[in-house]
Amino acid sequence: MVTGASSGIGAATVRRFAELGWQTVAVARRADRLQALAAETGAYPLVCDVTDEEQVSRLAAEVAHTGGATGLVNNAGGAIGTESVERSSNEDWRRMFEVNVLGLRSVTAALLPVLREGARRTGWASILNLTSTAGHDVYPGGAGYNAAKFAAHAVTGVLRLELAGEPIRVMELAPGLVHTEEFTLNRLRGDAAAAAKPYLDVTPLTAEEVARVLVGAFEQPPHVNQDLIVLRPVAQSSVFHTHRGPLAPRAE
Ligand SMILES: NC(=O)c1ccc[n+]([C@@H]2O[C@H](COP(=O)([O-])OP(=O)(O)OC[C@H]3O[C@@H](n4cnc5c(N)ncnc54)[C@H](OP(=O)(O)O)[C@@H]3O)[C@@H](O)[C@H]2O)c1
C-alpha cells in the first residue's frame, strides 16, 4: 500500500512496483488521479485523507478484506511555506504535522494488524517511511517542515525498536532535491515562477529515480533492513550546497 500515490514519488512508486509484478493499493485524496493510475498499472485505488482517522480505519478494513498487505509505504506528505520561525504560522505547521507525522502514525497503527496478517501468511512484512534530508539537517526557512520530518524520522526509529522480534522491517528513505510537479508548487502556495527556481541549472532527482531505490529496498531479501537510505543528486552535496551549472572534473 502506497500513500500519496496520486502524484510525484508515490505515483512513480506504484508504477515501479507494477513493473516488477507487485499488486499495489494506491491511496490519496484525488480520486480521478488514482483512477487514471489504476487504469495504467492495475493498482487498487482507495481514496483516503490520511489525516482523518475514521477514513484511515475504513482504509485498513478495506485493505484487509480485499487481499491484505505485506508492505506499506508512508509517502503522503509535503511542505507548506518557507517563512522563518518568527514569521511562520501555527496553521501551516499544524497542516505539515497532520500529514507528515500524525497521518503516518495513524496509517501505520491501522495497517499494522493487516501487515502482521500478511507476515503470518508470507513470512515477512515491510514498512518504509518517506522522510527527507530535511529530516536530518536544518536550514533557514525550513523549521516547520524540518520539525515534521525530524519527527517522522524519530517515529521510524521508535517503530523499529517496538517491532523488534517480529518479521517486519522498518525502513526510511530520505531524499534531497527531487523534481516533482507539485511539491514545491504547494510549498510556495502556487507561485509557479518561484517553484521553478530550485531546479534551475541543476539536475535534480526524478520521482522515477527515487521510486527505483525505494522499490529496490522492498526487493531485497526480507531479512535485509535498509534502516536509512539517503539519496541526493550529485550536484547537491548537502542541504546548503547545490552546485548550479555543469559538473566537471577539476583541473589537476
Ligand atoms: N519533492 C521533493 O523534493 C522531496 C524531497 C524529499 C522528500 N519528499 C517527500 O516525499 C513525499 C512525496 O513527495 P512528492 O515530491 O512526490 O510530493 P507531491 O507530488 O506533492 O505528492 C504528495 C502526495 O501526497 C498526497 N497527500 C497529501 N496530503 C494527503 C492527505 N492528507 N491524505 C492522503 N494523501 C495526501 C497527495 O495526493 P492528494 O493531494 O491527491 O491527496 C500527493 O499524492 C512527501 O512525503 C515529501 O515530503 C519530497
Side-chain angles (χ1 to χ4, degrees):
M1 188 180 106
V2 180
T3 69
S6 64
S7 66
I9 296 168
T13 298
V14 169
R15 289 192 183 97
R16 182 63 184 155
F17 272 127
E19 270 170 26
L20 299 181
W22 292 66
Q23 176 65 47
T24 55
V25 178
V27 177
R29 292 167 301 180
R30 285 171 293 177
D32 52 339
R33 283 176 161 252
L34 291 182
Q35 289 296 349
L37 185 67
E40 177 195 334
T41 61
Y44 188 83
L46 277 180
V47 173
C48 174
D49 181 338
V50 299
T51 68
D52 180 323
E53 286 195 88
E54 264 185 50
Q55 290 187 33
V56 169
S57 303
R58 284 202 295 274
L59 168 77
E62 184 154 356
V63 173
H65 292 124
T66 52
T70 55
L72 166 63
V73 179
N74 279 309
N75 165 76
I80 302 164
T82 53
E83 292 81 11
S84 63
V85 172
E86 188 179 5
R87 295 190 181 280
S88 56
S89 73
N90 280 0
E91 181 46 32
D92 286 344
W93 283 50
R94 212 169 274 123
R95 286 170 61 202
M96 285 189 272
F97 267 76
E98 289 273 353
V99 64
N100 291 292
V101 188
L102 306 185
L104 179 152
R105 192 214 68 81
S106 322
V107 171
T108 304
L111 250 286
L112 260 173
V114 183
L115 292 171
R116 284 200 179 96
E117 192 46 44
R120 276 183 210 107
R121 223 175 44 238
T122 67
W124 301 91
S126 310
I127 298 172
L128 184 143
N129 294 337
L130 246 293
T131 61
S132 169
T133 50
H136 296 266
D137 293 305
V138 296
Y139 53 89
Y145 187 55
N146 286 142
K149 289 301 196 186
F150 267 72
H153 164 66
V155 172
T156 308
V158 170
L159 189 64
R160 190 177 305 115
L161 294 172
E162 291 177 352
L163 298 185
E166 299 194 63
I168 305 177
R169 56 185 165 185
V170 180
M171 303 176 285
E172 173 182 349
L173 175 56
L177 188 69
V178 188
H179 195 178
T180 54
E181 74 226 65
E182 297 185 348
F183 177 84
T184 306
L185 200 59
N186 287 337
R187 181 170 206 173
L188 301 180
R189 307 175 206 280
D191 182 341
K197 279 193 185 146
Y199 311 111
L200 290 179
D201 297 324
V202 66
T203 306
L205 301 173
T206 64
E208 291 69 30
E209 288 157 355
V210 177
R212 274 184 175 267
V213 172
L214 190 164
V215 173
F218 280 76
E219 289 270 313
Q220 293 299 316
H223 66 283
V224 176
N225 195 110
Q226 292 189 263
D227 283 19
L228 171 62
I229 306 164
V230 181
L231 193 65
R232 299 180 214 265
V234 173
Q236 189 191 37
S237 48
S238 83
V239 290
F240 290 112
H241 300 93
T242 301
H243 178 88
R244 309 267 164 197
L247 301 175
R250 211 164 279 156
E252 292 301 326

